[in-house]
Amino acid sequence: MVTGGRSPMCDTVGSSLARLEPTQLGGLVTDQLARLCDVARLDRTDTETYVQTLATSLGTAAERSLALPPTTATLLSDDHTPVEYSLAFLPGATPALRVLVEPGWDSGDLAENGRAGLRAIRAMADRWNFSTDQLDLLEDLFFPVAPAGPFALWCALELRPGGVPGVKVYLNPAARGRDRRAETLREALDRLGHRQAFAALPPADDYPFLALDLGEWAAPRVKVYCTHESLSAQEAGEYSRLAAADGRDQTTDFFHAVAGTDAGGTGQPSTRRALTCHSFTDTVTGRPSGFTLHMPVRSYVEHDGRARDRAADVLRRYGMDNDALDRALAAVTPRPLDDGVGLVAYVALVHQLGRDPRVTVYVSSEAYAVQPPRTALATGPGIGR
């Protein structure tokens, strides 16, 4: 467990919260988030809003002592912390901060986990005046009486200036059983008006997430995530499904840079499956409007110092601010990067039609444990996250 120190920003924000201590889950993650808001140049009012939102989303888990073990073995993070951060980078811009949270983490069972997640999303909809109509259309598919699968609902908040976040909901296609996940996903896409979308997906080993943009988005997306057990750089480029050849080339180059492989494919294999994400906004053609390749960088390196270096190399290639990455890592933990692995969990390359490519770096809270450095990289099929 890493507690770190409190900054003046944390103390100011903390004054408006119920007294949460760094030894409690809510105290640790809200302190981390407050420092990350400073990296993202969010003002004090916005920071206070978002820190309060995170604490509220965790419910009673916010007051849970970190001396106790995690209540649920969530797949959201390696150490089962129900919170993860990410920073989205663009050239010449301050990175955008997101936080991913499992609102029903301490609910006791998967059905109540889902109900708690739905209550949290609807409370946000009431607060920020957005519709949950798309989510409501899918409730029977993803929240059955006796749900299956590894999770019920995750919520991601894009923390924007002005105190109103973009909201994304992640749902589990295996909720009605693993053998029905493709059927559930196809039915969900049909109900949302994307009747040709499933046929546009690449071959996949699994479909771990369906995500919906809720609230104010320029072009709200429906996103399908696919896992690929033995994905090659060439396949990743082909799966991008973008018309521009340079998009495919960028994807293969990105794959090699994060994985530490060369153009011939040599290098250490990952113990976790790569993720691809296919975004849909057009209900007429069924063609994806966006593609993201999520690379589990923590599986390709011995420790976080190397993971940081690979992420920073990618950012420099795209003319992005790798100094902000260093400030973000320091905001989450004071530990030396070579003391563990998993703080930098994923690095992703995002292509969206009509927009410049962006790079997203996913950062773990490590509230419960720091994974020790590796002396060797094992091989094997691994897991989806």
Side-chain angles (χ1 to χ4, degrees):
M1 181 182 69
V2 177
T3 57
R6 295 180 69 88
S7 70
M9 175 72 85
C10 298
D11 291 334
T12 300
V13 171
S15 66
S16 67
L17 295 170
R19 195 64 236 169
L20 293 172
E21 297 297 332
T23 55
Q24 296 173 299
L25 175 62
L28 176 64
V29 298
T30 54
D31 281 0
Q32 290 173 331
L33 186 63
R35 292 190 291 267
L36 286 167
C37 285
D38 189 47
V39 174
R41 298 182 183 174
L42 293 169
D43 68 25
R44 190 158 290 178
T45 299
D46 291 342
T47 297
E48 185 164 350
T49 295
Y50 293 138
V51 164
Q52 179 71 66
T53 299
L54 176 58
T56 301
S57 298
L58 287 169
T60 57
E63 299 177 4
R64 184 176 175 84
S65 170
L66 288 170
L68 300 173
T71 61
T72 301
T74 178
L75 292 183
L76 195 149
S77 65
D78 289 345
D79 72 327
H80 309 308
T81 304
V83 174
E84 180 186 63
Y85 313 107
S86 61
L87 293 103
F89 293 82
L90 282 168
T94 300
L97 175 62
R98 291 100 174 251
V99 59
L100 178 66
V101 61
E102 184 170 355
W105 175 75
D106 69 337
S107 299
D109 65 69
L110 201 57
E112 179 53 32
N113 185 310
R115 289 190 289 269
L118 287 172
R119 289 194 295 270
I121 296 300
R122 287 170 179 151
M124 293 178 192
D126 288 342
R127 178 178 184 180
W128 289 305
N129 193 31
F130 64 81
S131 171
T132 62
D133 287 351
Q134 285 195 313
L135 180 60
D136 298 341
L137 280 174
L138 307 181
E139 184 169 348
D140 62 308
L141 291 177
F142 291 95
F143 302 94
V145 174
F151 81 104
L153 181 149
W154 296 346
C155 172
L157 302 175
E158 181 175 288
L159 308 185
R160 301 168 178 169
V164 179
V167 179
K168 294 181 276 189
V169 175
Y170 292 79
L171 305 174
N172 172 26
R176 297 190 299 164
R178 184 173 173 79
D179 59 334
R180 299 183 67 185
R181 62 195 187 281
E183 171 193 334
T184 297
L185 180 57
R186 186 183 289 109
E187 173 64 22
L189 291 168
D190 285 353
R191 292 187 189 183
L192 296 169
H194 295 278
R195 294 178 176 81
Q196 302 177 68
F198 189 84
L201 297 173
D205 294 300
D206 201 358
Y207 307 104
F209 314 113
L210 174 71
L212 308 175
D213 288 344
L214 303 179
E216 290 296 322
W217 296 85
R221 301 157 297 174
V222 174
K223 301 192 295 182
V224 179
Y225 288 76
C226 302
T227 56
H228 309 275
E229 187 168 324
S230 302
L231 187 70
S232 69
Q234 181 180 355
E235 287 171 330
E238 293 170 354
Y239 292 169
S240 69
R241 303 291 177 98
L242 294 175
D246 62 342
R248 291 191 291 272
D249 291 343
Q250 286 174 349
T251 300
T252 57
D253 290 345
F254 170 80
F255 184 106
H256 289 307
V258 177
T261 56
D262 59 28
T266 61
Q268 291 286 1
S270 173
T271 58
R272 288 179 175 83
R273 300 165 183 159
L275 281 168
T276 61
C277 173
H278 309 265
S279 301
F280 297 90
T281 55
D282 181 358
T283 59
V284 177
T285 67
R287 287 182 57 82
S289 59
F291 171 84
T292 304
L293 174 61
H294 296 263
M295 294 290 286
V297 64
R298 68 196 188 280
S299 276
Y300 295 109
V301 296
E302 295 86 359
H303 55 72
D304 282 307
R306 296 195 187 279
R308 176 266 170 207
D309 289 347
R310 293 194 187 176
D313 176 57
V314 168
L315 293 173
R316 285 192 297 269
R317 292 184 187 204
Y318 286 91
M320 299 172 187
D321 182 10
N322 62 280
D323 289 342
L325 171 62
D326 291 332
R327 294 195 300 274
L329 298 180
V332 172
T333 178
R335 75 164 173 84
L337 294 181
D338 59 2
D339 278 1
V341 65
L343 177 67
V344 185
Y346 274 82
V347 183
L349 178 64
V350 185
H351 284 286
Q352 192 76 24
L353 291 177
R355 300 184 184 180
D356 292 332
R358 67 179 183 270
V359 173
T360 303
V361 180
Y362 294 79
V363 180
S364 302
S365 169
E366 296 187 331
Y368 286 100
V370 175
Q371 305 300 317
R374 299 186 182 93
T375 55
L377 297 180
T379 62
I383 60 173
R385 270 191 63 86

